[in-house]
Amino acid sequence: MATSGTPSPTPPGASARPAPDPARRRLILWIVAAVVFVLLLVGAWVGIRGLLAKNELESALPAAKQVQTAVVAGDLATAKSAATTLRKHAAAAASLTGDPVWRVAEFFPLLGSNLTAVRVAAASTDRLASEVIDPLVGVADQVDPRAIRPVDKKIDLAPIEAAKPVVLKAQAAFHTAKSDVDGIDTEGTLPQVTSAVDRLQTQLRKATTVVDAVGNSVRLLPPMLGADGPRTYLVLVQNPAELRATGGLVGALALIKADHGAITLEAQSSGTSIGPWPAPVSAIPASTQGLYGPLLGRFIQDVNLTPHFPLAATTAATMWKETHGGTVDGVLTIDPVVLTGLLKATGPVALPTGDMLTSANAIPLLLSESYKKFALPEEQDAYFASAATAVFDSVASGKADGAELVKALANAGADRRLLVWSAHPEEQKVLAPTTLAGGLPASTSSTAGLGVYFNDATGAKMDYYLRAKIEAGTAICRVDGKPTSRVTVTLTNTAPADAGTTLPDYVTGAGTYGVPPGNIRTRVAVYGATDGLLVSTTSDGAPYATISGTDAKRPVSVFTVELAPGQSKTVSVDLLDVKQTAPGMDVFVTPTLPRTTPDVGASGRVSVVALDCSTTVK
């Protein structure tokens, strides 16, 4: 037996454990220390540069706002100086977040996604500053809409042509930057990073409309204004006192010629002098005829029963050519509300009758008082046309204030009162995605494109007294994740109680089409999302009579509402958004008269409301 203090012998078959190698232990410790040091160094490097980049981006914000303010004010010297400052700060932020060390750190767990998001945001901001804002500010004086206005009935196209390459390159760079920012994955990023990326994405979505408007303008204006040869355009003057889906009955028409920027009024005509035809003059889809009947292909006044303006425009162009011959390169729409905006730019204009047309009296004078002055429809149409001509001459002569003119046209386009169709496919392709095109609502995977359209069924001019309130909501109420949308339409007849006896027969319709004088009968068409389904049409909780169908793969509910003076009616339409994965929506509405009453709110505007899933069909 071994005595105390004597090591035990190694058991047979066992090997002795080697003593630790001090040199090896020191090497491992040095490696670990080096890795920790490198990580600390990388962390410090990234942290310091990240903080500096944050400061640079924050310094860029005031410069960006100053650019916007100065451009709007027409102060191009200040705008250029601010753009230089913005470019300097954005370039510094991109440089601070784009070095190799930063890129390596992006592979680190947890930290990496945040660093990638910051780098892409900084690089995109740099691109926006250097390739979009700076070059656009440089040509701002050439593409300033306030300067692109007729003078002596001619627009100088040379500055637009000169700026075109710069603008189109900037437009492409903007969409590249926007695509990069939209592609940032913020799942798992810090709240501060997620919030910053969300704000940048929102700002770029808002800026898209402006950038594309400038790009589309320099792309379209020269050829459409006759830079490559004369163009002729048919102008449809819509009358919202007798509603049609795109805005109003076509009461008057004009043919305008554009030749190398020179704009002239070639011809005028009333709606009653064109047609009708015994059969549709152009091909009308069977689904459209099923919803609106064959009249839209036979009567110029009814070409826009369909809300699909390209179809209405091509039909109107064919009718004009069959009546007057010649060619039509495009079709445009305006209405008295557009004239009101233009009159704010031109000031009052005198009419041949001696009336003075102003922005304050245009709507009541053209849509109400004229029917008391003139008994015959031909005289009323002529009066309507004379007003449009007088305003056109004032704008074309260069009397309009540039800023007010741009504001009027922008508002008209946003409200879909100014619509444009081109017979030239390459131009129509550019117009198609814009509000000017007047297409049916477009849907995406996350947004349901919905529509609410009004067509008069009184056969008169009572829609001057019609008020509309539209509410819409969407939510995911089903277990399969498909969103449900609800559109609620409230119509009110605001005509005086004695309208049937005090208003002219031409206004009330005198019962010609079976509607008691003073009543308003309206056909409403509610469109759902592409490839969606119509679930129900109800009023006061009960089924409401409707014609259901489809139009260009969109479910449609068409129902009729008739109201005596003072009456209101509310109808709701529920729709299933089959192809959508998120409860977003975009609602198009027939532009009606912009009036406000306490009970129904602003006419033609959409109120977004919360959808109560407990009341929807699952």
Side-chain angles (χ1 to χ4, degrees), residues 129-300:
S130 61
E131 299 181 32
V132 181
I133 295 175
D134 197 48
L136 286 182
V137 169
V139 297
D141 55 341
Q142 296 168 270
V143 295
D144 186 348
R146 291 166 295 193
I148 305 174
R149 61 188 180 94
V151 176
D152 295 329
K153 299 186 178 182
K154 185 173 183 177
I155 294 176
D156 185 5
L157 301 179
I160 306 175
E161 293 276 25
K164 182 177 177 179
V166 175
V167 173
L168 295 185
K169 186 176 180 180
Q171 185 183 19
F174 173 86
H175 282 283
T176 298
K178 181 178 181 300
S179 178
D180 289 343
V181 172
D182 287 343
I184 296 176
D185 183 5
T186 56
E187 185 176 353
T189 56
L190 295 171
Q192 299 92 326
V193 174
T194 302
S195 176
V197 172
D198 286 345
R199 287 198 302 271
L200 182 57
Q201 289 173 340
T202 299
Q203 290 302 318
L204 292 182
R205 279 195 296 271
K206 292 179 179 179
T208 299
T209 302
V210 177
V211 173
D212 284 345
V214 175
N216 293 344
S217 294
V218 300
R219 186 181 277 109
L220 292 175
L221 281 176
M224 294 187 76
L225 289 175
D228 304 320
R231 293 284 189 93
T232 54
Y233 296 98
L234 181 63
V235 180
L236 310 180
V237 185
Q238 299 187 118
N239 185 342
E242 186 172 348
L243 284 170
R244 294 292 185 270
T246 65
L249 171 140
V250 179
L253 304 92
L255 193 71
I256 293 176
K257 180 180 178 181
D259 188 4
H260 291 86
I263 305 171
T264 55
L265 179 62
E266 296 291 293
Q268 286 183 280
S269 178
S270 68
T272 55
S273 67
I274 296 179
W277 283 262
V281 298
S282 58
I284 308 295
S287 59
T288 304
Q289 287 202 40
L291 293 169
Y292 304 107
L295 295 183
L296 58 83
R298 297 179 52 226
F299 291 81
I300 188 74

Side-chain angles (χ1 to χ4, degrees), residues 20 36 60 141 158 191 223 352 369 371 377 387 403 430 442 541 598:
V36 172
D141 55 341
E369 296 173 21
Y371 301 125
V430 176

Side-chain angles (χ1 to χ4, degrees), residues 490-515:
T490 300
L491 299 181
T492 302
N493 182 348
T494 67
D498 59 356
T501 57
T502 59
L503 295 178
D505 287 349
Y506 189 71
V507 174
T508 67
T512 302
Y513 297 98
V515 181

Side-chain angles (χ1 to χ4, degrees), residues 472-486:
T474 182
I476 296 177
C477 301
R478 295 162 51 100
V479 295
D480 61 6
K482 298 184 187 303
T484 298
S485 295
R486 174 174 294 159

Side-chain angles (χ1 to χ4, degrees), residues 464-469 490-495 568 593-604:
Y464 181 78
Y465 300 98
L466 183 70
R467 301 294 173 265
K469 178 184 178 183
T490 300
L491 299 181
T492 302
N493 182 348
T494 67
S568 291
L593 293 177
R595 292 191 174 187
T596 302
T597 55
D599 56 336
V600 297
S603 180

Side-chain angles (χ1 to χ4, degrees), residues 21-32:
D21 185 349
R24 183 182 178 195
R25 179 183 295 175
R26 285 195 298 272
L27 178 60
I28 293 173
L29 290 176
W30 274 111
I31 291 173
V32 171

Side-chain angles (χ1 to χ4, degrees), residues 422-476:
S422 174
H424 299 262
E426 67 280 5
E427 295 168 5
Q428 183 60 23
K429 184 178 180 180
V430 176
L431 287 167
T434 71
T435 58
L436 294 175
L440 296 177
S443 299
T444 67
S445 61
S446 60
T447 302
L450 311 176
V452 182
Y453 305 105
F454 304 119
N455 280 305
D456 172 74
T458 311
K461 301 296 184 290
M462 286 296 295
D463 288 331
Y464 181 78
Y465 300 98
L466 183 70
R467 301 294 173 265
K469 178 184 178 183
I470 298 96
E471 296 177 317
T474 182
I476 296 177

